[in-house]
Amino acid sequence: MAMPGQSPCPPMSNHTKERVTMAKVTLENFYSNLIAQHEEREMRQQKLEKVMDQEGLADEEKRMRRSQHARKETEFLRLKRTRLGLEDFESLKVIGRGAFGEVRLVQKKDTGHVYAMKILRKADMLEKEQLGHIRAERDILVEADSLWVVKMFYSFQDKMNLYLIMEFLPGGDMMTLLMKMDTLSEEATQFYIAETVLAIDSIHQLGFIHRDIKPDNLLLDSRGHVKLSDFGLCTGLKRAHRTEFYKNLNHSLPSDLTQNMNSKRKAETWKRNRRQLAFSTVGTPDYIAPEVFMQNGYNKLCDWWSLGVIMYEMLIGYPPFCSETPQETYRKVMNWRETLTFPPEVPISEKAKELILRFCCEEEHRIGAAGVEEIKTNPFFEGVDYDHIRERPAAIPIEIKSIDDTSHFDEFPDSDILHPATSVSNQTETELKNKDWVFINYTYKRFEGLTARGAIPSYMKSGKR
């Protein structure tokens, strides 16, 4: 409040408010990173000591291990100080494309290691208000350290794009597998659903809800085992990554819910529209639980609904609510009591039907409410050895011919996303420069990402396509 005789302070301009926020975020991130780095280093040291004690090593061997670990920590500090950029990677091929960017197979020039590089355009992130989504994905990939989650090694940015450098999983994704196979046997379905149960549970144990479980986000490694990816819609206890990703789906809803199509026509319609939906900003609402659409609050059980829809698709050939338009699909999901039916011309076992209906039901009655063990002990999973499932052969073996084999991915034309200067206006560049502070602290380097340096072997160069 102004003193008598003093004029009141003028209100703070929006420009000043933004500069203050930028300074606050910068300082907070600087000190939080220092604390996090110290804690991570202490944790790695404790882990080393624990492993050495379990192995019963002699004092001299322990001393050598500690010395090796100290050298690696020093190298990691040096790596963290180096600026990683596009010039450190050679682009080999586009292997995925979405509404906000693309995924490329790349090779790190100093090691020859092959990675999947996810590229996101900053301008699109700002325009479509996707900042919470991309921050959620980056944060969860940093925190998650599991065999069931795709591993991220580095993240960095330049003035136009954000980059996530992740492990390359040459088996492709479940969507591509289902498009090729039409339907899976119950034995194969049991394997993939069981592995996905463990993958989803690993995220839930971190306190996160994925919210976007669908075949596109179930990747397959070189041996055909499942890994969970794409955490752009993930939310959890640590921060609220909210989204209005599907906010327009309730517009122009059709009144007719019942289309008289047999299974063959439904499957053909589904496959015709599937890839187009996968690459669009709307996406496909087929796998989203009704309580997520209602936005009245939901919990991790929404991920189990999505898994039930995937299980139905594996066995029947298309998801239970598939329609000509996303709007119609949304309506069917919301009226699932009437629309979730099993076509008589595609017979499946009673155990399979029972589990699907336990996944896709009212939230309070849904399987998994009492914990993941309730799912793992369901009769459909009889005989599954969860403790060793990843060590055993996959239901459908993956044939990989080389470290950069992309035969399990769709073909995509090249784009100018890595050379955007020709297609970006000066106005967009100015806006990006002013707004770039919102991407503070995006850069990341994983300790396990340390690799021996060396030239790319000649056979790897000749094998590129």
Side-chain angles (χ1 to χ4, degrees), residues 209-413:
I209 309 168
H210 192 284
R211 296 199 303 175
D212 199 22
I213 300 294
K214 57 185 178 183
D216 322 46
N217 295 336
L218 302 180
L219 304 186
L220 301 174
D221 66 15
S222 59
R223 296 178 58 242
H225 290 273
V226 168
K227 286 204 175 192
L228 201 54
S229 75
D230 204 336
F231 300 91
L233 293 185
C234 206
T235 187
L237 303 176
K238 294 174 176 57
R239 59 180 73 211
H241 296 114
R242 310 304 297 174
T243 179
E244 294 180 29
F245 196 68
Y246 299 98
K247 62 184 178 183
N248 294 321
L249 285 180
N250 58 354
H251 293 177
S252 307
L253 293 176
S255 57
D256 181 18
L257 296 183
T258 57
Q259 287 195 354
N260 294 320
M261 287 197 288
N262 61 25
S263 296
K264 184 178 180 182
R265 188 181 162 200
K266 275 191 177 181
E268 289 171 353
T269 302
W270 172 246
K271 288 194 174 184
R272 187 171 65 247
N273 296 335
R274 184 61 172 91
R275 293 196 187 278
Q276 184 180 351
L277 283 169
F279 307 144
S280 72
T281 54
V282 174
T284 170
D286 283 85
Y287 309 94
I288 305 299
E291 64 266 22
V292 175
F293 285 129
M294 293 170 67
Q295 298 185 352
N296 292 330
Y298 51 87
N299 55 35
K300 64 184 180 182
L301 295 177
C302 68
D303 288 339
W304 300 130
W305 169 286
S306 304
L307 188 57
V309 175
I310 294 173
M311 182 176 170
Y312 184 108
E313 182 179 358
M314 287 178 173
L315 295 169
I316 304 298
Y318 52 86
F321 312 110
C322 72
S323 302
E324 292 280 358
T325 65
Q327 290 82 6
E328 189 176 348
T329 299
Y330 165 85
R331 187 71 178 267
K332 285 187 176 183
V333 171
M334 299 308 293
N335 290 271
W336 61 269
R337 291 175 182 84
E338 291 77 38
T339 57
L340 178 53
T341 59
F342 296 90
E345 63 268 27
V346 187
I348 64 173
S349 70
E350 288 302 315
K351 285 183 181 179
K353 281 185 184 178
E354 187 271 340
L355 180 56
I356 290 170
L357 293 173
R358 292 293 313 283
F359 279 131
C360 298
C361 65
E362 298 90 347
E363 193 177 1
E364 59 269 24
H365 299 140
R366 195 171 302 158
I367 192 169
V372 72
E373 289 301 320
E374 184 183 13
I375 301 174
K376 292 163 70 174
T377 55
N378 184 273
F380 180 76
F381 296 117
E382 184 178 358
V384 172
D385 181 2
Y386 290 99
D387 293 334
H388 302 96
I389 191 170
R390 201 171 187 93
E391 301 162 18
R392 297 186 175 176
I396 301 175
I398 301 292
E399 184 181 348
I400 304 298
K401 298 172 184 174
S402 64
I403 63 167
D404 58 352
D405 185 356
T406 59
S407 59
H408 297 283
F409 292 83
D410 289 335
E411 292 291 328
F412 294 92

Side-chain angles (χ1 to χ4, degrees), residues 40-308:
E40 288 166 7
R41 186 163 182 159
E42 290 289 312
M43 196 177 301
R44 289 193 291 268
Q45 186 67 43
Q46 292 169 12
K47 186 177 180 180
L48 174 66
E49 296 294 334
K50 184 177 179 181
V51 169
M52 290 193 300
D53 288 341
Q54 289 173 346
E55 294 178 0
L57 300 181
D59 290 344
E60 181 61 20
E61 180 67 22
K62 285 184 178 181
R63 187 189 64 77
M64 289 178 62
R65 287 271 192 101
R66 291 188 189 108
S67 178
Q68 291 171 356
H69 181 78
R71 284 196 296 272
K72 193 172 182 182
E73 288 283 5
T74 301
E75 187 182 352
F76 183 53
L77 286 174
R78 191 179 299 117
L79 175 68
K80 285 181 79 71
R81 286 194 292 268
T82 60
R83 187 178 181 86
L84 205 62
L86 271 180
E87 63 277 5
D88 296 298
F89 298 89
E90 183 174 352
S91 177
L92 305 182
K93 187 178 183 181
V94 179
I95 58 173
R97 184 160 286 146
F100 307 108
E102 65 185 33
V103 180
R104 287 180 177 243
L105 183 70
V106 299
Q107 197 161 37
K108 198 164 186 286
K109 292 178 180 178
D110 64 349
T111 64
H113 285 211
V114 171
Y115 299 97
M117 174 189 280
K118 186 171 184 176
I119 308 164
L120 298 168
R121 292 180 293 266
K122 286 183 177 181
D124 289 345
M125 298 294 101
L126 290 167
E127 182 183 351
K128 302 294 195 303
E129 299 180 343
Q130 298 290 305
L131 298 178
H133 300 165
I134 58 101
R135 175 62 65 177
E137 178 164 43
R138 183 262 185 207
D139 290 348
I140 291 161
L141 287 172
V142 166
E143 187 167 342
D145 187 12
S146 166
L147 289 172
W148 298 107
V149 175
V150 61
K151 189 179 288 292
M152 181 180 74
F153 292 102
Y154 314 105
S155 62
F156 57 92
Q157 59 180 297
D158 56 27
K159 68 177 181 178
M160 302 309 298
N161 299 317
L162 301 171
Y163 304 91
L164 296 167
I165 307 298
M166 298 181 288
E167 62 178 322
F168 171 53
L169 300 177
D173 60 39
M174 185 60 64
M175 180 188 79
T176 304
L177 181 67
L178 291 176
M179 297 283 277
K180 288 179 183 175
M181 302 290 292
D182 290 332
T183 60
L184 302 183
S185 67
E186 293 210 6
E187 183 181 10
T189 299
Q190 182 200 61
F191 169 80
Y192 290 118
I193 296 297
E195 287 214 328
T196 308
V197 166
L198 297 178
I200 293 172
D201 183 55
S202 72
I203 291 298
H204 289 175
Q205 287 183 31
L206 289 175
F208 292 104
I209 309 168
H210 192 284
R211 296 199 303 175
D212 199 22
I213 300 294
K214 57 185 178 183
D216 322 46
N217 295 336
L218 302 180
L219 304 186
L220 301 174
D221 66 15
S222 59
R223 296 178 58 242
H225 290 273
V226 168
K227 286 204 175 192
L228 201 54
S229 75
D230 204 336
F231 300 91
L233 293 185
C234 206
T235 187
L237 303 176
K238 294 174 176 57
R239 59 180 73 211
H241 296 114
R242 310 304 297 174
T243 179
E244 294 180 29
F245 196 68
Y246 299 98
K247 62 184 178 183
N248 294 321
L249 285 180
N250 58 354
H251 293 177
S252 307
L253 293 176
S255 57
D256 181 18
L257 296 183
T258 57
Q259 287 195 354
N260 294 320
M261 287 197 288
N262 61 25
S263 296
K264 184 178 180 182
R265 188 181 162 200
K266 275 191 177 181
E268 289 171 353
T269 302
W270 172 246
K271 288 194 174 184
R272 187 171 65 247
N273 296 335
R274 184 61 172 91
R275 293 196 187 278
Q276 184 180 351
L277 283 169
F279 307 144
S280 72
T281 54
V282 174
T284 170
D286 283 85
Y287 309 94
I288 305 299
E291 64 266 22
V292 175
F293 285 129
M294 293 170 67
Q295 298 185 352
N296 292 330
Y298 51 87
N299 55 35
K300 64 184 180 182
L301 295 177
C302 68
D303 288 339
W304 300 130
W305 169 286
S306 304
L307 188 57

